Amino acid sequence: MRILCAALCGFALDLLLGDPDWLTPFHPVVLMGKAISTTEKRLRALFPKTGKGEEGAGFLLAAIMTTGTFLFCKLILTLLNAVFPPLSFAAEVIWCWQALAVKNLRDEALRVQRALENESLDAARKAVSRIVGRDTAALGFKGVARAAVETVAENFSDGVIAPLIYMLLGGAPLALCYKAVNTMDSMVGYKNARYLHFGRVPAKLDDAANFIPARLAALLLIAAAFFTGEDAASALRIWRQDRRKHESPNSAQCEAAMAGALGLRLCGPASYFGVRHDKPWIGDQRRGIVPGDIRRACRLEYVGAVLGLAVFGAARLAAIMNFPL
């Protein structure tokens, strides 16, 4: 029951506060990023500069970050529980809050929408560059809007539903372990000269960790489309049609559902670090994208998040009632 209560409180705090700027230096993901950078440098110095050597270093990075994060969080909670149990619960609530990104994702996306509505393309490019990994300097108004909608869809899985699932399975330690996996992938999971071998294991681990959550997240977006008056039938159809149209086994899942729900065409060619990638289009373009579609995507994200909490929370409660933990 403690895990369920901590998750509910953490979810509420995320909706209320998001990620305050003053907390950024102490945010687990920021600290994980620093740990990953430091560990990468040391491992590269220890392992030979060969494909196998770099892959071995990447494997060790993944092992250190996942086990280290889980054991560190578990140890802190255990020690605090031995001293003063309410303090341990408070720490778990805070970590659950920081593992989620419901409000922050919405706030960042709406910042892009406001810039577009003010017809400030430079400001819109700058705002969207905060939440996407692609090159944004050459994006036009429609390209910026499309990028914002896509990142709401993709991050609905790895920023909301996946951490929520792991949180309800194993509390804050498992949720932050997942965030460590996701952060590694965002930092070293690139198929370029520097990370092709080093990032292979972290990228595969991220694919595995997101395989089930991404599909559940897509189904939740389809359900959210029904409850918000969007095109749920089209969301289901496009999801079934286009969910495998991405090199990643997981990324197109939510993007396909979002594209169908809003009647848009998403993804397509994009540049990363100056290299053009001819990714396929997802969805049927029934109309052109407009800035207001970003808000509609955020509404789907919020309703989907609440539905996810209700469904997975109920499953956790049922497990507690029938199989006491």
Side-chain angles (χ1 to χ4, degrees):
M1 186 62 75
R2 167 187 162 131
I3 286 177
L4 178 58
C5 291
L8 290 171
C9 292
F11 190 92
L13 280 176
D14 182 59
L15 290 185
L16 181 65
L17 302 175
D19 291 326
D21 290 339
W22 62 267
L23 197 58
T24 298
F26 312 102
H27 196 285
V29 172
V30 174
L31 299 177
M32 287 173 189
K34 293 179 179 178
I36 291 167
S37 294
T38 300
T39 307
E40 178 190 347
K41 291 177 183 177
R42 294 181 178 178
L43 290 175
R44 284 186 181 276
L46 292 175
F47 281 75
K49 305 296 189 294
T50 63
K52 289 292 184 182
E54 290 188 358
E55 191 168 331
F59 175 85
L60 192 54
L61 172 69
I64 291 171
M65 289 303 303
T66 52
T67 58
T69 299
F70 182 85
L71 293 176
F72 174 79
C73 295
K74 198 72 173 177
L75 176 62
I76 294 298
L77 294 179
T78 300
L79 291 175
L80 290 176
N81 193 63
V83 175
F84 187 51
L87 189 58
S88 176
F89 178 75
E92 184 149 26
V93 167
I94 291 173
W95 278 340
C96 287
W97 160 33
Q98 294 179 320
L100 296 167
V102 184
K103 186 177 186 296
N104 187 62
L105 180 57
R106 173 182 178 272
D107 290 347
E108 293 289 344
L110 291 183
R111 181 180 285 115
V112 179
Q113 179 179 326
R114 287 192 294 270
L116 290 173
E117 290 174 340
N118 291 331
E119 298 186 353
S120 177
L121 183 56
D122 287 340
R125 287 170 175 166
K126 183 177 180 180
V128 82
S129 70
R130 292 164 52 97
I131 54 176
V132 301
R134 74 189 63 184
D135 299 336
T136 61
L139 291 179
F141 282 96
K142 290 185 177 180
V144 169
R146 186 180 296 112
V149 171
E150 287 171 15
T151 202
V152 170
E154 185 175 359
N155 283 285
F156 176 67
S157 175
D158 57 26
V160 179
I161 297 304
L164 182 61
I165 289 173
Y166 287 109
M167 185 186 306
L168 289 166
L169 285 174
L174 191 58
L176 291 182
C177 181
Y178 165 77
K179 295 301 289 185
V181 171
N182 195 238
T183 304
M184 277 190 294
D185 180 64
S186 68
M187 292 180 66
V188 306
Y190 297 101
K191 291 186 177 180
N192 54 26
R194 178 174 176 80
Y195 290 116
L196 179 62
H197 299 289
F198 185 88
R200 180 169 296 163
V201 173
K204 293 295 183 184
L205 182 59
D206 184 73
D207 287 344
N210 281 297
F211 190 85
I212 293 176
R215 284 146 183 81
L216 293 175
L219 293 175
L220 286 168
L221 281 180
I222 294 168
F226 173 80
F227 285 108
T228 58
E230 301 291 355
D231 196 339
S234 178
L236 177 60
R237 179 177 61 83
I238 297 299
W239 174 68
R240 296 178 64 182
Q241 170 186 298
D242 293 346
R243 70 184 187 272
R244 297 186 181 92
K245 279 190 175 181
H246 201 288
E247 187 177 359
S248 164
N250 304 318
S251 294
Q253 298 288 328
C254 288
E255 289 173 344
M258 183 70 78
L262 300 182
L264 301 173
R265 191 172 66 161
L266 300 177
C267 296
S271 295
Y272 297 85
F273 303 105
V275 179
R276 177 185 169 90
H277 294 261
D278 290 318
K279 299 194 295 183
W281 290 100
I282 291 176
D284 298 333
Q285 186 169 346
R286 302 201 300 267
R287 59 181 182 80
I289 192 167
V290 296
D293 289 322
I294 299 174
R295 185 175 298 278
R296 293 170 66 194
C298 291
R299 184 166 61 245
L300 287 170
E301 176 225 353
Y302 257 56
V303 174
V306 173
L307 289 173
L309 179 65
V311 171
F312 304 136
R316 173 79 191 188
L317 184 60
I320 292 171
M321 293 175 64
N322 290 286
F323 308 102
L325 300 179

